[in-house]
Amino acid sequence: MIAVYPGSFDPITYGHIDIIERAGKLYDELIILIMTNDEKSGTFSLEERKDMIEKCVGHLPNVKVAIGTGLTVDAAEKLNGKVLIRGIRAVSDYEYEMQLATANMILKPDIETVFLLAKPENSFLSSSTSKTIAKNKGDLSCFVPSYVQEKLEEKFAK
Ligand code: ADP
């Protein structure tokens, strides 16, 4: 069975990587789907995000990376995805995730959303926090792998 993990991944963090490693064990194939977002143009281009993800998940043979547009459920269906994976860090994530998953359930009842809980040590990690730390020249080593750290430092080097 193919599962799809959609998100912005702007950039990928250790929190995403943990979800990817765990979801990859549950399904035959896991496709990380970088979705374009009309409201957020993003810090990194879609190609930059794809490159960073590929560098971080190269050790996982059944994991692939794709870029999607439009509705997540449509993009997932095109990839033959039967399951959407989402991660939950806290109750505050749950409210947003429940709204999304319910909308997706109505749009495409054949695609199930599966939630994985963040590891406690990752529950504070987010792409936006890692960008704030990078902008202020802080230590990113607990947030993102060294390749992503370099890209963040380059992006905010001024
Ligand atoms: P989106 O803009 O779609 O929320 P993100 O890249 O921010 O995209 O997140 C993608 C998914 O990964 C979401 O379900 C989010 O809750 C989850 N996620 C983000 N950070 C973590 C983390 N530290 N641990 C577990 N899940 C996470």
Side-chain angles (χ1 to χ4, degrees), residues 7-22:
S8 313
F9 306 102
D10 188 31
I12 189 168
T13 68
Y14 280 132
H16 295 125
I17 294 169
D18 172 53
I19 297 289
I20 293 163
E21 286 173 343
R22 288 160 54 202

Side-chain angles (χ1 to χ4, degrees), residues 5-11 13-16 18-19 37 40 85-89 93 96-97 100 116-119 122-127:
Y5 179 27
S8 313
F9 306 102
D10 188 31
T13 68
Y14 280 132
H16 295 125
D18 172 53
I19 297 289
N37 185 333
K40 299 191 260 181
I85 302 290
R86 297 286 290 177
I88 294 198
R89 286 162 288 192
D93 275 349
Y96 170 68
E97 294 292 341
L100 270 185
L116 296 186
L117 283 189
K119 269 196 199 158
N122 288 338
S123 61
F124 68 98
L125 291 178
S126 70
S127 301

Side-chain angles (χ1 to χ4, degrees), residues 8 10 37 39-45 48-49 131 155:
S8 313
D10 188 31
N37 185 333
E39 279 105 64
K40 299 191 260 181
S41 66
T43 302
F44 291 97
S45 71
E48 286 174 319
R49 293 182 221 178
K131 287 185 275 196
K155 187 65 80 181

